[in-house]
Amino acid sequence: MKVLLAYAPGELRVVDMPVPKPGPKDILCKVAHCGVCATDVAIMKGTLNLGDGNDPIYPVRVGHEWSGRVVEVGEQTWRIKVGDAVVSDTGYFCGECERCKRGEYQACLNGRPLGTIGHCWPGAFAEYMLIPERMAYKVPDSVPLDMAALIEPASIGFYGLERAGFSPESTLLVIGTGPISLGGMACAKALGIGKTIVGGRKAAKLEIAQKLGADVAVNMTKENLWEEVMRCTGGMGVDIVMDSTGAPEILNDAMRVLRPSGTLVIPAFYEQELNAVKLDRLIVKNCTLIGAAGTPNICGKLLCLMADNKLDLMPMLTDRFPFSQVEDAFDAVTSRNERRVKVMVDFQ
């Protein structure tokens, strides 16, 4: 089978590898679609800098936003069958350690991310994908496989918002117009969150934000974000801010627009030490800070919303390439940034 490797910093290679054989509790899937994440591009370029030992180990088989169809199963599998359409969690968890037993799968002592940093599980930019059955979620027949592949980035933003807690009375400000923030907002809208405001710098992406459910779109190159938020909230500030920009200069503004006892959700990496951060803006207002990098067991919730026609993430999908043009797909993440939200690679 053909697979894509970030072989070394600055070097992508498509190489041939044997098709893996499922173990007793594994499933083998033929990959249908895989989204290109900004993290994939950073690994390819060699610019990802998370510190604390969270470095890629080259060569990396990248790809973690995928969907596919099962072609073979191990003899001890029982839930997933040949022919099922599936997506997966983006982290391997053992299911046996003390943290998994407590339900803290994202903190598994034997955990491995999918196709990114460290001793990762081989990623999904490959013709076939092998995973443990416990990582897989069956995609309902009514949900297209390409939309199912958009679940992963949306799930990160949604995970942060879910932990923040929201209701029909909640106001949400999303800063940034990438798939994590826009997808997370769309999920929260599907579950009944109140007014949503999106701040961004690209007009085309703000239009997509409105298609995904944003009530107010603020072009930060033309409008003052703080003034617009105060206008929309009667001077109260918002209940929740989700800042997905990873831009230190925006962080202080994000804290400023929060109401007292509000929550700041950050599903982004800064990849640097932050100076001049006015953290007292959170402390003096008794606010909560939540970091969100994803977790298992979110996919099922979003698949149910899709099956019930409550969640449509397809407006996020702005660019598509066949696997034969996968290098062009990686280039498009940067070259088409004015309008690009999600770039997807199609294997079929």
Side-chain angles (χ1 to χ4, degrees):
M1 67 174 181
K2 294 189 179 301
V3 306
L4 178 71
L5 299 179
Y7 193 80
E11 183 179 358
L12 281 178
R13 289 189 190 180
V14 176
V15 303
D16 289 313
M17 288 186 172
V19 177
K21 187 72 176 173
K25 298 182 180 181
D26 298 332
I27 62 173
L28 180 68
C29 309
K30 185 171 178 59
V31 177
H33 310 280
C34 190
V36 184
C37 177
T39 300
D40 298 327
V41 176
I43 291 171
M44 179 270 290
K45 292 181 176 180
T47 59
L48 189 68
N49 179 27
L50 301 182
D52 297 327
N54 293 310
D55 298 318
I57 299 175
Y58 295 92
V60 184
R61 200 174 102 186
V62 289
H64 53 274
E65 305 174 5
W66 73 284
S67 63
R69 198 167 291 276
V70 180
V71 295
E72 190 175 353
V73 298
E75 63 269 21
Q76 294 181 24
T77 59
W78 59 275
R79 187 173 51 84
I80 302 295
K81 310 298 182 186
V82 170
D84 285 349
V86 297
V87 293
S88 80
D89 289 320
T90 55
Y92 167 88
F93 58 94
C94 70
E96 297 293 337
C97 71
E98 61 185 50
R99 292 177 183 172
C100 284
K101 293 296 187 183
R102 294 199 298 261
E104 298 174 6
Y105 301 108
Q106 76 279 8
C108 173
L109 294 173
N110 303 301
R112 297 167 64 185
L114 184 66
T116 52
I117 58 175
H119 181 50
C120 64
W121 192 270
F125 277 114
E127 292 181 301
Y128 291 91
M129 185 70 179
L130 179 72
I131 57 169
E133 184 189 37
R134 63 180 173 274
M135 288 174 58
Y137 298 82
K138 184 176 178 180
V139 177
D141 293 338
S142 61
V143 177
L145 271 174
D146 50 0
M147 185 159 71
L150 298 171
I151 283 177
E152 193 280 335
S155 73
I156 296 173
F158 174 66
Y159 175 53
L161 294 177
E162 185 180 53
R163 289 164 63 201
F166 58 83
S167 73
E169 297 178 341
S170 301
T171 52
L172 167 67
L173 169 65
V174 171
I175 310 177
T177 49
I180 289 175
S181 54
L182 296 188
M185 177 207 66
C187 296
K189 267 294 186 181
L191 288 169
I193 199 171
K195 179 176 285 187
T196 54
I197 307 164
V198 175
R201 300 182 182 277
K202 306 292 191 299
K205 295 182 181 182
L206 288 171
E207 290 180 10
I208 292 171
Q210 291 178 303
K211 292 178 181 178
L212 290 165
D215 297 300
V216 179
V218 180
N219 189 323
M220 295 164 58
T221 66
K222 302 176 180 180
E223 302 168 279
N224 183 286
L225 182 63
W226 184 84
E227 291 177 357
E228 289 300 309
V229 170
M230 292 300 113
R231 181 183 63 80
C232 291
T233 61
M236 301 294 292
V238 292
D239 299 297
I240 306 168
V241 175
M242 180 162 63
D243 177 11
S244 68
T245 65
E249 66 273 15
I250 291 178
L251 183 56
N252 286 329
D253 291 335
M255 293 186 287
R256 185 185 182 197
V257 297
L258 266 179
R259 68 159 175 84
S261 298
T263 303
L264 173 60
V265 177
I266 302 180
F269 298 123
Y270 292 96
E271 301 185 54
Q272 59 185 294
E273 295 183 4
L274 302 184
N275 296 316
V277 174
K278 298 179 180 180
L279 200 59
D280 286 345
R281 286 181 173 174
L282 288 186
I283 298 167
V284 74
K285 292 190 290 186
N286 292 311
C287 292
T288 300
L289 172 62
I290 293 175
T295 191
N297 297 324
I298 295 290
C299 293
K301 298 178 183 180
L302 304 194
L303 286 169
C304 287
L305 291 174
M306 289 178 172
D308 290 341
N309 294 316
K310 295 179 179 179
L311 177 64
D312 180 7
L313 296 177
M314 289 303 285
M316 297 200 312
L317 183 48
T318 53
D319 301 86
R320 306 182 78 146
F321 294 82
F323 185 50
S324 61
Q325 298 175 19
V326 67
E327 293 189 23
D328 294 333
F330 271 63
D331 289 341
V333 172
T334 302
S335 65
R336 302 186 184 185
N337 187 47
E338 285 295 316
R339 61 171 182 81
R340 178 269 310 158
V341 176
K342 176 49 60 181
V343 177
M344 182 170 287
V345 172
D346 300 318
F347 287 78
Q348 302 176 356

